[in-house]
Amino acid sequence: MTHQVRAVVARGKGAPVSLETIIVPDPGPGEALVKIQACGVCHTDLHYREGGINDDFPFLLGHEAAGVVESVGEGVTDVAPGDFVILNWRAVCGQCRACLRGRPWYCFNTHNAKQKMTLTDGTELSPALGIGAFAEKTLVAAGQCTKVDPAASAAAAGLLGCGVMAGIGAAINTGNVGRGDTVAVIGCGGVGDAAVAGSNLAGAAKIIAVDIDDHKLDTARKLGATHTVNAKNADPVAAIRELTGGFGADVVIEAVGRPETYQQAFYARDLAGTVVLVGVPTPEMKLELPLLDVFGRGGALKSSWYGDCLPSRDFPMLIDLYQQGRLDLDAFVTETIALDEVEKAFERMHSGDVLRSVVVL
Ligand code: APR
Ligand code: ZN
Ligand code: ZN
């Protein structure tokens, strides 16, 4: 059997997305058909539609999603019809060196659904990040589904599937923020704010939020920032040093993805501190640092891949914290929109006052 559903498709490089009818097959072995309830709009969706990822148009966009499993294919035992799940875009193999060493976020032997979703004329769709969840239903590998508490709001839960997990994970997994640490977060969009929230959960003593927009800094405060620095009015490196007794922060999280802000992160950290790059740079960007300064400072320079998360460990834990009122995922949902408003959400992304627009179905 197949399912005809409405979905958001990017047909060609730079062209506005359109709402289309697509054909979704029943799940084959190892696959799951998921009825999508909510899906956040992420920068990566826009990168796909602009042709910045690859040329495999048409794309089925959307990858920050939560929904209910409608049916599963042969051999699927971890999830069952009726389960409320968050989708993840790393269906790891479980058998390669990275997986066996407990670092599946470095697994490149990923297994997405094998069957193709198509347009009504039979044209095969490329699901963005192997998900394609701006759709009433989508087909994924069962390993991309993590069961969580069904009482959680779908709009909030879905955000853990990408940007919010990346930010929280940059703090708690990659940066290993611990009780009493000083943390600085440079760039407080959805990802940076999530790093602020993650640092707060981890018990950081000081959380210094840096942005160039005062509204963003206000939200960062609500999520746990103890100090804020507007980088338009003050040198963030000097400000972070001053706020940390001259030492610099134990962990500095860069959530912009630019060489200038990475340099600031590099110099704003304690000599034994950690820099975590979670902002995504573009291919032409280059970093220039005196090698002597790299030598002269200890600590660690790290980057965070999908928040170095283990979905089966981290998603249910973070949903529990959300349900207990200890992690304000709702604060990331700036607006809820309909499926046909994704293009408008892309435009609003640049306005600076949206953390996340979330499609609710
Ligand atoms: N100093 C401090 N903050 C800055 C600077 C700067 N020089 N330039 C931009 N910012 C802030 C913006 O004001 C914004 O609040 O960085 C934030 C970036 O946030 P978003 O654009 O909302 O992006 P976000 O979704 O948080 O993702 C952050 O990770 O996924 C990638 O492509 C994404 O590189 C981006 C990064
Ligand atoms: Zn994303
Ligand atoms: Zn693997």
Side-chain angles (χ1 to χ4, degrees), residues 145-182:
C145 300
T146 303
K147 196 175 160 179
V148 296
D149 181 351
S153 134
L159 298 186
L160 290 180
C162 185
V164 172
M165 184 67 245
I168 294 179
I172 67 175
N173 294 333
T174 319
N176 210 6
V177 172
R179 184 158 42 88
D181 281 351
T182 55

Side-chain angles (χ1 to χ4, degrees), residues 181-196:
D181 281 351
T182 55
V183 179
V185 177
I186 302 181
C188 294
V191 175
D193 271 349
V196 167

Side-chain angles (χ1 to χ4, degrees), residues 42-44 47 163 186-193 210-213 216 231 236 255-258 260-261 264 278-281 349 352 354-356:
C42 174
H43 287 261
T44 305
H47 290 167
I186 302 181
C188 294
V191 175
D193 271 349
V210 181
D211 205 289
I212 49 175
D213 179 336
K216 292 290 174 79
V256 186
R258 299 192 58 82
E260 314 84 89
T261 38
Q264 291 166 358
V278 64
V280 185
M349 237 172 211
V354 176
L355 282 185
R356 275 297 189 265

